[in-house]
Amino acid sequence: MAAAARPVDVVRHFPCSSSVAASSSLLLSRSKSRLASPAAAAASSMRRRLVLGVGAAAAPAVAALAASATPAALRDGAATLLITAGAYSLVRAFDGLTARRLIEQNLSRKIVHVLSGVLFMSSWPLFSNSTEARFFAAIVPLLNCIRLLTYGLRLSTDEALVKSVTREGKPEELLRGPLYYVIVLLVSVLVFWRQSPIGIVSLSMMSGGDGFADIVGRRYGSAKLPFNENKSWIGSISMFISGFLLSALMLFYFSCLGYFTVCWDLALGKLALVALAATVVECIPVNDVVDDNISVPLATMLAAYLLFGYSSCC
């Protein structure tokens, strides 16, 4: 009996015995209240089962989706994400330079004009050879179209973007030149893609040729054309030279990768004619009717199709 009484004495003389007893009674009362409401307990159990069930079902679904995707689709998806991030970063970088007044607004606008087309074209080999690759690439200009429409229609505001890609800093300007520009990018991807020199030459003339014409013409274009006071001789000459050189460089780039064949002894002469046609169209004083981002690539596409054909430069 003395041995049995010893544990009772330990509990009785423990310093926190009253607190333990209070906590035990509190837990006991809570458990009784939960047992007294079986509907609440059942609902809680059901919620736990649903959450666990959804999580358990979602993981295999995601794994199955990733497993079912072809290597080409995964490559094209990764390339789309990379190029989209790069395009966004490019515009944002010049937004910041313009906001800090480290670069003039017009110069910033034209540098973005040149680099956007050149870098976008240069990224096409990142995509696979699947038939769906061009549609993945088309997502990049499509997202830019949506972005320009959003800010141009004042559904949202982005003053830095407006200042870096427009002439007068008005959101409505996004719906003209910049929007036409990305639409031409979209059409070139979907219609011509890598297998045709037409899209490559037209984008080279629109981005490089027209872009450098404006940059050089604004700085050194004191001698104006007799039939268009808004254009200069040096600007038109710069467009011809830069458009020709960039087109030749991009054709060399894609031909080395095996997308089409270039017969250089014939191609250079034809390319000079295409550049001349685009330069003449750019000089015509019709900007109030047709934007350069429409007239120049359309003229280039027509001339390139007539001289080169669709799928080779021979």
Side-chain angles (χ1 to χ4, degrees):
M1 294 298 292
R6 189 172 300 170
V8 177
D9 294 338
V10 171
V11 173
R12 183 178 302 166
H13 293 91
F14 190 76
C16 299
S17 58
S18 59
S19 300
V20 172
S23 300
S24 301
S25 61
L26 179 60
L27 291 174
L28 183 60
S29 62
R30 288 182 178 177
S31 62
K32 287 181 178 180
S33 62
R34 288 171 182 168
L35 292 175
S37 56
S44 176
S45 177
M46 179 63 71
R47 283 195 297 269
R48 287 195 298 270
R49 287 197 297 270
L50 286 174
V51 171
L52 293 175
V54 169
V62 173
L65 181 61
S68 63
T70 63
L74 293 176
R75 173 180 172 178
D76 294 336
T80 301
L81 292 176
L82 177 64
I83 298 168
T84 301
Y88 181 82
S89 300
L90 174 67
V91 175
R92 278 302 175 192
F94 282 93
D95 289 349
L97 293 176
T98 304
R100 294 178 177 85
R101 298 183 180 181
L102 298 176
I103 187 172
E104 297 177 359
Q105 179 178 344
N106 287 324
L107 182 59
S108 172
R109 178 175 61 88
K110 279 303 175 180
I111 293 178
V112 171
H113 179 98
V114 173
L115 292 180
S116 295
V118 173
L119 295 178
F120 182 55
M121 277 190 296
S122 301
S123 69
W124 289 355
L126 296 177
F127 293 89
S128 70
N129 294 324
S130 67
T131 56
E132 295 81 11
R134 69 175 68 196
F135 300 106
F136 278 93
I139 293 175
V140 179
L142 179 61
L143 291 176
N144 282 324
C145 282
I146 296 173
R147 185 184 179 198
L148 293 174
L149 287 171
T150 300
Y151 297 129
L153 295 174
R154 297 179 183 271
L155 301 177
S156 183
T157 58
D158 190 338
E159 294 182 1
L161 172 66
V162 173
K163 290 180 180 180
S164 64
V165 300
T166 61
R167 294 178 184 271
E168 301 177 3
K170 298 178 180 178
E172 294 79 7
E173 293 182 77
L174 297 175
L175 303 178
R176 296 194 289 272
L179 181 61
Y180 302 150
Y181 185 95
V182 295
I183 288 176
V184 172
L185 294 180
L186 182 62
V187 171
S188 298
V189 169
L190 294 177
V191 177
F192 302 109
W193 194 217
R194 299 173 299 202
Q195 288 74 27
S196 174
I198 298 175
I200 295 169
V201 174
S202 64
L203 291 184
S204 298
M205 291 302 305
M206 180 185 71
S207 58
D210 186 44
F212 279 107
D214 188 85
I215 293 173
V216 177
R218 285 181 182 274
R219 290 183 175 272
Y220 309 105
S222 57
K224 303 297 183 181
L225 296 176
F227 54 87
N228 190 349
E229 295 182 353
N230 295 322
K231 305 293 182 180
S232 63
W233 283 105
I234 188 64
S236 297
I237 294 172
S238 298
M239 176 172 181
F240 176 83
I241 295 176
S242 59
F244 173 82
L245 293 177
L246 181 58
S247 298
L249 178 63
M250 297 307 297
L251 290 179
F252 177 77
Y253 173 64
F254 282 94
S255 64
C256 287
L257 295 175
Y259 292 109
F260 48 75
T261 303
V262 178
C263 301
W264 290 106
D265 54 340
L266 299 174
L268 292 178
K270 295 179 180 180
L271 194 57
L273 293 176
V274 174
L276 179 61
T279 303
V280 169
V281 170
E282 197 267 345
C283 292
I284 299 175
V286 293
N287 285 345
D288 295 337
V289 180
V290 183
D291 191 272
D292 287 347
N293 290 327
I294 295 179
S295 60
V296 170
L298 285 181
T300 306
M301 290 176 187
L302 178 60
Y305 178 76
L306 294 175
L307 293 172
F308 290 125
Y310 181 82
S311 59
S312 68
C313 292
C314 293

